[in-house]
Amino acid sequence: MDSPRTQDAPEVDAPPTGVELTRLRSAELFRDLHDAGAPQHLRERARDDLVHLHLPLVEHCARRFRNRGEPFEDLVQVGTIGLIKSVDRFDTDRGVEFSTYATPTIIGEIKRYFRDKGWAIRVPRRLQELRMQIGSATAELTQSLGRSPTPRELAEAIGCTVEEIVEGIESSNAYSTLSLDASDDSDDGAASMLDAIGVDDANLEHVEIRESIKPLLDRLDPREKKILLLRFFKNMTQSQIAEEIGVSQMHVSRLLNRTLVQLRTSLEEAD
């Protein structure tokens, strides 16, 4: 007796993977976002959902830059800016996956963050980019010329003026700075840069006294004011002052003492 014919079991489609579900959901949300006839609040919701849907992509890109001195949360936040830009600019008719399109933008935003964050002094982005161009052009010209290129040769290679090259080279000094407390780490305990570029101003502590006494001096008689000027600013003796103003040395002494007592009393009353 012939054995019964074995029938082939019907094929069962495999359930979609998480990546496929994300791709399908992304396509659906982009249709809602680009639907000009849809209500504005629905399009805004689709935009928000697209951002939240692809946050794992941002986290994946941010992990490439971990352990570089910046908190992971900050990198995710910066990368999310690139994700939002990608959502707003993406064209579904290009025939590429959104993740393929968004990844370079997200990584570029994070790299730009490191580039801006790495400068000790904030300089315009134009100069930051010019500095990078100068570095690349310098390496190429040094290899081809066998020597360091001149600013004019760099300007011709990059396509800018010599003045811009000089400005770009000078801006490199702002990339990293040296602490005023830093020394040359020599064994003789060399002074720090702060010790080398400045000293304490001994007259600084007298600024308040000078400013307080100015209005008091303005109220003095011209002769008393002249005696103070000759004695304390021109370092003349009382005898020399007496000859200068035509009075006796004893009279100069009395006028000087009286004036000083008057100024001291006025200062104490002001305090």
Side-chain angles (χ1 to χ4, degrees):
M1 184 163 99
D2 296 337
S3 60
R5 181 183 243 178
T6 303
Q7 295 182 350
D8 295 335
E11 295 183 358
V12 179
D13 294 337
T17 63
V19 175
E20 292 171 342
L21 288 175
T22 300
R23 187 183 298 115
L24 293 173
R25 179 58 176 160
S26 178
E28 178 183 353
L29 290 173
F30 270 114
R31 283 195 297 269
D32 295 340
L33 177 62
H34 296 155
D35 185 1
Q40 182 64 27
H41 71 279
L42 292 180
R43 298 179 63 185
E44 291 177 354
R45 182 185 301 173
R47 181 175 181 267
D48 293 341
D49 290 344
L50 280 166
V51 173
H52 285 89
L53 181 65
H54 293 94
L55 282 178
L57 175 63
V58 175
E59 295 175 354
H60 173 74
C61 294
R63 288 192 189 95
R64 297 175 50 182
F65 299 89
R66 298 188 71 170
N67 303 321
R68 295 194 183 184
E70 293 297 324
F72 179 71
E73 293 76 10
D74 290 354
L75 300 180
V76 172
Q77 185 175 6
V78 173
T80 303
I81 297 175
L83 173 61
I84 294 173
K85 292 180 179 179
S86 300
V87 170
D88 293 337
R89 300 170 183 172
F90 182 62
D91 184 0
T92 55
D93 295 334
R94 293 184 177 183
V96 297
E97 293 294 336
F98 174 73
S99 59
T100 304
Y101 171 80
T103 298
T105 305
I106 296 171
I107 293 178
E109 201 70 29
I110 296 175
K111 287 183 176 180
R112 188 176 297 110
Y113 170 77
F114 273 103
R115 185 178 62 192
D116 294 345
K117 191 80 173 179
W119 288 75
I121 301 176
R122 187 74 173 94
V123 299
R125 181 162 295 175
R126 171 183 63 85
L127 292 179
Q128 297 180 22
E129 295 174 350
L130 180 59
R131 173 181 175 271
M132 297 176 63
Q133 290 179 309
I134 291 175
S136 300
T138 299
E140 295 176 0
L141 290 175
T142 300
Q143 185 175 3
S144 61
L145 298 174
R147 57 173 175 81
S148 298
T150 64
R152 184 168 299 280
E153 290 170 339
L154 287 171
E156 293 175 354
I158 296 176
C160 60
T161 64
V162 176
E163 290 76 13
E164 289 174 329
I165 292 294
V166 174
E167 186 180 14
I169 295 175
E170 291 177 347
S171 70
S172 300
N173 297 328
Y175 187 78
S176 60
T177 55
L178 182 65
S179 172
L180 293 177
D181 294 325
S183 62
D184 59 2
D185 296 329
S186 59
D187 295 335
D188 58 356
S192 66
M193 182 176 294
L194 181 61
D195 297 327
I197 65 175
V199 295
D200 293 334
D201 188 352
N203 295 320
L204 189 60
E205 60 184 22
H206 302 302
V207 170
E208 183 177 355
I209 297 177
R210 288 199 300 269
E211 292 299 318
S212 299
I213 207 172
K214 275 183 180 180
L216 302 179
L217 292 175
D218 293 337
R219 293 200 294 265
L220 293 176
D221 293 335
R223 186 174 63 172
E224 296 173 343
K225 188 183 299 184
K226 184 175 182 179
I227 291 175
L228 288 178
L229 175 65
L230 296 176
R231 180 68 184 92
F232 295 104
F233 291 90
K234 294 191 177 181
N235 296 320
M236 295 177 62
T237 65
Q238 293 185 8
S239 300
Q240 292 172 328
I241 296 174
E243 295 178 2
E244 178 76 19
I245 63 177
V247 297
S248 66
Q249 184 269 335
M250 186 64 68
H251 190 49
V252 169
S253 177
R254 286 197 299 267
L255 288 175
L256 185 60
N257 290 333
R258 186 182 68 184
T259 303
L260 293 176
V261 170
Q262 178 181 347
L263 291 175
R264 188 179 296 110
T265 303
S266 298
L267 283 175
E268 292 174 352
E269 291 176 352
D271 294 338

